[in-house]
């Protein structure tokens, strides 16, 4: 039986209400009161994990230290709580069925008809309770993806219903997140969609303990009363979640509404002391009172959907606050860039980031962006594919290997300066087969990367199949692009930088996946610092 207390967060009315942010904010408040908390996400789709999804489908794929390809909400959990998540923190319908079907083939249910109830729901509940049983957590928050009433979430909702009885009173609560729309023409906030959503939850046998209501306008008392009456909750369990300037305000807004106190009362946990949010408030103070401002170009191919680059965007928020600098991101589709217009497009920017990605679409524009940053000595930061583009551009334009490329985009290139990793050559399956998760990297003393981190041993997260081709290493070094970070076991080049440039760094790994409010990622912090310096010299130059 689970030893931790469990909070299940469900959603209704519409998707995208921010269950992940509410869960992370509540977890932050509980953590700030001294509880050990983790958050897990259960996604009703059938993919085993989001690793095989196009970012347009589901936003960024977030990678954990232990190499799980997960939902982007796990990024919020880590950024808010400053503790790593793992394989166990993201479970999908695909994973559940996969486990059940494997067990069936192994004969575990011999003689039985394998059914959604109880076999699938039992498997879901086993996964619900797993992290709580490690003894590491006082409280586990489980976010159920999608909306109540969706066909595909039915088994999850049924498992939540059963979990209340398995866990017993005082160990289980359900928080239901809904939307209170504002009808402009009537000048009114409407509670009906929430009433219907709660009704749907009740039909599934779940009485919510707390309602969190997303709204653009404050909820007056009569609306709260009405919600309490129709939804069977205490009026002080109707929590307003008003639109915020930044997601990092939400823990404080939830504190104001006493969400944490309501939760602790219902779970029969002590809440005498106030949560200690001093550091969080310091961060917000820096974020909201910038003393400078920079424009950074984010050159990528999924720019129509900023969620595709969620962790990069949030890393800029953390790095901006650290520098007390407002970071304006310019979203540049690499497909629109060419030799003729590059100057016009990139001139307003104090720093250029070339984003991660897959496939050949938009590559020529990315190479042009690298060249522009290199030649004009504009701070440059390349991540994963962005680093690979920096290597290709250098080979083509500095080493004179005009046909140099990555074997990913041009399998026939005579100079594969970026080549497929040896261990990837025999892999044909697509799901979960990249080089994933945290690997150590040793930074060269005296390099820019070393000075950024202030130490020579780091570990960062990865998601790639291709790598720098060490056959060309000497040529690159001689011409001024140095491998300043290398995997100590394999020699794989993890970081490249230009000697003769104020700030030009490319990383094979994804530093954005480890940036948190409490620990802003150093490369982002120093990149923004370099952008501020660049802007200052340009203004004075
Ligand atoms: N497509 C490149 C590779 O597989 C880069 C991946 C990435 O940017 N995450 O190596």
């Amino acid at each position: 039986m689970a030893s931790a207390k469990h909070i299940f967060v469900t959603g209704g009315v519409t998707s995208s209400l921010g269950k992940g942010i509410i869960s992370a904010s509540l977890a932050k408040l509980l953590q700030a009161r001294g509880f050990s908390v983790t958050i897990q996400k259960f996604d009703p789709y059938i993919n085993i994990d989001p690793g095989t999804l196009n970012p347009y489908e589901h936003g960024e794929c977030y990678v954990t230290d232990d190499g799980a390809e997960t939902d982007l909400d796990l990024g919020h959990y880590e950024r808010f709580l400053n503790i790593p998540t793992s394989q166990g923190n993201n479970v999908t319908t695909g994973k559940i069925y996969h486990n059940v079907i494997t067990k069936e083939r192994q004969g575990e249910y011999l003689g039985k008809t394998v059914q959604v109830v109880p076999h699938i729901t039992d498997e879901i509940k086993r996964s619900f309770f797993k992290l709580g049983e490690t003894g590491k957590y006082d409280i586990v928050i489980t976010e159920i993806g999608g909306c109540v009433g969706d066909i595909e979430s039915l088994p999850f909702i049924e498992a939540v219903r059963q979990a209340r009885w398995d866990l017993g009173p005082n160990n289980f609560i359900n928080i239901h997140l809904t939307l209170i729309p504002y009808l402009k023409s009537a000048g009114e906030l409407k509670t009906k969609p929430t009433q219907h959503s709660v009704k749907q939850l009740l039909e599934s046998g779940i009485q919510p303990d707390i309602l969190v209501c997303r709204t653009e306008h404050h909820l007056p008392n009569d609306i709260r009363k009405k919600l309490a009456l129709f939804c069977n909750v205490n009026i002080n369990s109707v929590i307003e979640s008003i639109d915020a300037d930044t997601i990092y305000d939400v823990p404080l807004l939830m504190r104001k509404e006493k969400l944490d106190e309501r939760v602790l009362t219902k779970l029969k946990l002590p809440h005498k002391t106030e949560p200690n949010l001093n550091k969080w408030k310091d961060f917000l103070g820096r974020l909201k009172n910038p003393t400078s401002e920079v424009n950074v170009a984010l050159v990528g191919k999924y720019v129509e959907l900023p969620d595709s680059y969620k962790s990069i965007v949030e890393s800029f928020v953390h790095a901006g606050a650290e520098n007390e600098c407002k970071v304006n991101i310019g979203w540049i589709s690499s497909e629109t860039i060419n030799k003729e217009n590059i100057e016009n497009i990139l001139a307003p920017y104090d720093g250029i980031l070339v984003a991660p990605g897959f496939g050949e679409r938009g590559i020529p524009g990315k190479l042009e962006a690298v060249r522009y940053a290199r030649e004009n000595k504009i701070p440059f930061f390349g991540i994963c594919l962005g680093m690979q583009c920096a290597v290709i551009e250098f080979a083509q334009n500095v080493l004179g290997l005009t046909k140099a490329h990555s074997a990913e985009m041009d399998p026939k290139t005579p100079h594969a300066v970026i080549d497929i990793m040896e261990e990837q050559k025999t892999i044909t399956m697509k799901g979960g087969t990249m080089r994933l998760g945290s690997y150590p990297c040793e930074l060269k003393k005296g390099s820019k990367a070393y000075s950024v981190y202030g130490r020579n041993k780091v570990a960062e997260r990865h998601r790639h199949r291709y790598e720098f081709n060490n056959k060309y290493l000497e040529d690159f070094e001689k011409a001024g692009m140095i491998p300043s970070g290398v995997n100590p076991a394999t020699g794989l080049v993890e970081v490249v930088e230009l000697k003769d440039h104020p700030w030009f760094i490319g990383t094979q790994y994804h530093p954005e996946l480890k940036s948190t409010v409490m620990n802003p990622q150093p490369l982002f912090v120093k990149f923004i610092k370099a952008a501020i310096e660049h802007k200052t010299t340009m203004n004075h130059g």
Side-chain angles (χ1 to χ4, degrees):
M1 187 42 51
S3 53
K5 307 239 179 195
H6 284 261
I7 301 169
F8 291 89
V9 180
T10 53
V13 182
T14 76
S15 56
S16 306
L17 289 181
K19 280 197 297 279
I21 301 295
I22 293 294
S23 302
S25 299
L26 172 60
K28 183 78 226 167
L29 293 176
L30 298 172
Q31 186 190 53
R33 287 173 177 275
F35 293 104
S36 142
V37 193
T38 190
I39 319 176
Q40 51 186 0
K41 172 107 193 247
F42 278 64
D43 277 309
Y45 52 72
I46 294 169
N47 303 60
I48 297 272
D49 59 46
T52 49
L53 290 175
N54 183 319
Y56 286 129
E57 293 277 324
H58 215 68
E60 160 190 280
C61 172
Y62 186 80
V63 179
T64 58
D65 276 335
D66 62 354
E69 295 183 289
T70 73
D71 183 80
L72 59 74
D73 272 333
L74 272 78
H76 290 309
Y77 308 161
E78 290 204 13
R79 287 187 282 272
F80 276 55
L81 294 184
N82 202 28
I83 53 169
T85 53
S86 63
Q87 297 274 358
N89 290 75
N90 195 191
V91 176
T92 65
T93 293
K95 248 187 210 166
I96 297 288
Y97 272 80
H98 185 262
N99 292 348
V100 169
I101 291 168
T102 308
K103 283 182 194 167
E104 188 276 332
R105 292 288 83 182
Q106 287 164 348
E108 206 162 299
Y109 312 109
L110 227 45
K112 294 266 184 309
T113 307
V114 182
Q115 295 182 297
V116 173
V117 184
H119 302 101
I120 293 295
T121 45
D122 279 352
E123 187 64 28
I124 295 174
K125 287 194 291 176
R126 239 190 305 281
S127 304
F128 280 167
F129 301 149
K130 219 174 190 169
L131 289 175
E133 284 163 347
T134 59
K136 287 203 310 213
Y137 305 106
D138 304 317
I139 303 166
V140 177
I141 301 179
T142 304
E143 181 191 341
I144 307 288
C147 281
V148 169
D150 292 350
I151 292 175
E152 55 182 14
S153 27
L154 283 174
F156 288 114
I157 299 296
E158 167 60 15
V160 173
R161 184 193 69 79
Q162 295 178 15
R164 185 190 291 268
W165 303 108
D166 292 347
L167 291 163
N170 312 329
N171 295 322
F172 169 108
I173 58 169
N174 167 241
I175 299 178
H176 192 53
L177 176 65
T178 70
L179 175 73
I180 309 290
Y182 178 76
L183 286 193
K184 225 175 172 181
S185 54
E188 268 183 297
L189 287 163
K190 292 299 195 187
T191 65
K192 194 74 82 191
T194 298
Q195 294 179 39
H196 280 292
S197 176
V198 170
K199 216 179 237 168
Q200 193 136 36
L201 205 52
L202 285 166
E203 271 170 27
S204 309
I206 300 173
Q207 165 65 55
D209 299 279
I210 295 174
L211 277 185
V212 177
C213 306
R214 269 301 293 275
T215 174
E216 289 172 18
H217 297 271
H218 287 293
L219 298 183
N221 219 27
D222 60 319
I223 293 278
R224 290 182 193 242
K225 259 193 201 151
K226 200 167 171 186
L227 285 164
L229 179 70
F230 281 104
C231 303
N232 292 330
V233 295
N234 199 302
I235 184 147
N236 59 15
S237 293
V238 177
I239 305 287
E240 166 193 290
S241 170
I242 193 128
D243 288 359
D245 294 340
T246 147
I247 53 171
Y248 300 106
D249 274 336
V250 180
L252 301 186
L253 293 171
M254 288 303 109
R255 173 73 200 111
K256 232 175 166 174
E257 286 284 303
K258 299 193 167 59
L259 174 62
D260 52 339
E261 278 176 41
R262 299 309 307 153
V263 163
L264 292 171
T265 307
K266 285 179 188 294
L267 292 175
K268 296 274 185 304
L269 287 168
H271 53 89
K272 286 188 199 91
T273 50
E274 280 285 304
N276 180 354
L277 291 164
N278 294 341
K279 282 192 181 151
W280 193 269
K281 287 180 187 162
D282 288 348
F283 159 78
L284 278 174
R286 285 193 302 275
L287 180 66
K288 292 185 174 184
N289 299 290
T291 53
S292 58
E293 186 168 347
V294 290
N295 298 326
V296 169
L298 195 158
V299 182
K301 72 170 175 181
Y302 308 110
V303 292
E304 299 87 346
L305 186 76
D307 266 5
S308 309
Y309 303 111
K310 194 80 201 164
S311 294
I312 292 177
V313 174
E314 298 307 325
S315 299
F316 277 134
V317 175
H318 309 154
E322 190 68 14
N323 284 291
E324 293 181 18
C325 172
K326 182 165 187 272
V327 179
N328 304 313
I329 297 178
W331 298 90
I332 316 278
S333 161
S334 55
E335 284 175 286
T336 62
I337 297 181
N338 55 47
K339 255 198 178 61
E340 284 67 50
N341 65 14
I342 183 109
E343 173 100 46
N344 272 345
I345 293 180
L346 290 181
Y349 294 99
D350 312 303
I352 296 168
L353 181 141
V354 175
F358 295 84
E360 59 192 325
R361 183 160 71 86
I363 295 292
K366 286 189 172 177
L367 295 177
E368 275 307 309
V370 175
R371 187 184 58 77
Y372 182 81
R374 181 177 58 77
E375 290 179 352
N376 295 288
K377 306 237 183 290
I378 299 163
F380 169 84
F381 191 3
I383 298 180
C384 207
L385 179 64
M387 170 268 198
Q388 297 176 354
C389 285
V391 168
I392 298 165
E393 191 279 330
F394 194 83
Q396 290 182 354
N397 299 330
V398 180
L399 299 183
L401 306 172
T402 49
K403 294 214 163 83
H405 222 297
S406 161
E408 180 182 6
M409 329 303 165
D410 181 2
K412 293 209 175 85
T413 171
H415 300 291
V417 287
I418 300 293
D419 206 355
I420 184 125
M421 282 181 279
E422 198 49 46
E423 66 269 27
Q424 287 285 332
K425 286 185 179 158
T426 50
I427 295 175
T428 51
M429 298 281 269
K430 289 284 181 246
T433 54
M434 284 188 242
R435 180 174 181 248
L436 290 167
S438 181
Y439 285 92
C441 166
E442 248 168 51
L443 303 175
K444 233 183 222 147
K445 291 224 166 88
S447 68
K448 183 147 280 141
Y450 179 86
S451 79
V452 164
Y453 280 94
R455 57 180 198 276
N456 75 328
K457 282 191 169 48
V458 299
E460 298 279 6
R461 300 183 191 169
H462 299 73
R463 185 171 187 249
H464 64 119
R465 295 187 201 280
Y466 294 80
E467 64 175 337
F468 183 93
N469 184 345
N470 279 331
K471 226 170 75 186
Y472 294 90
L473 196 53
E474 246 186 76
D475 300 340
F476 274 81
E477 278 196 272
K478 270 193 212 137
M481 180 175 268
I482 60 160
S484 49
V486 170
N487 178 296
T490 62
L492 184 145
V493 174
E494 295 278 13
V495 189
V496 295
E497 63 186 55
L498 284 182
K499 269 204 231 147
D500 185 23
H501 191 289
W503 212 97
F504 187 107
I505 294 182
T507 62
Q508 183 58 75
Y509 52 73
H510 291 260
E512 74 276 20
L513 300 175
K514 275 176 67 170
S515 189
T516 70
V517 167
M518 290 303 139
N519 274 323
Q521 212 286 339
L523 284 163
F524 280 87
V525 173
K526 297 292 161 53
F527 174 63
I528 292 303
K529 192 160 176 267
I532 299 170
E533 280 159 14
H534 176 77
K535 185 178 171 180
T536 320
T537 39
M538 291 303 280
N539 286 346
H540 295 165

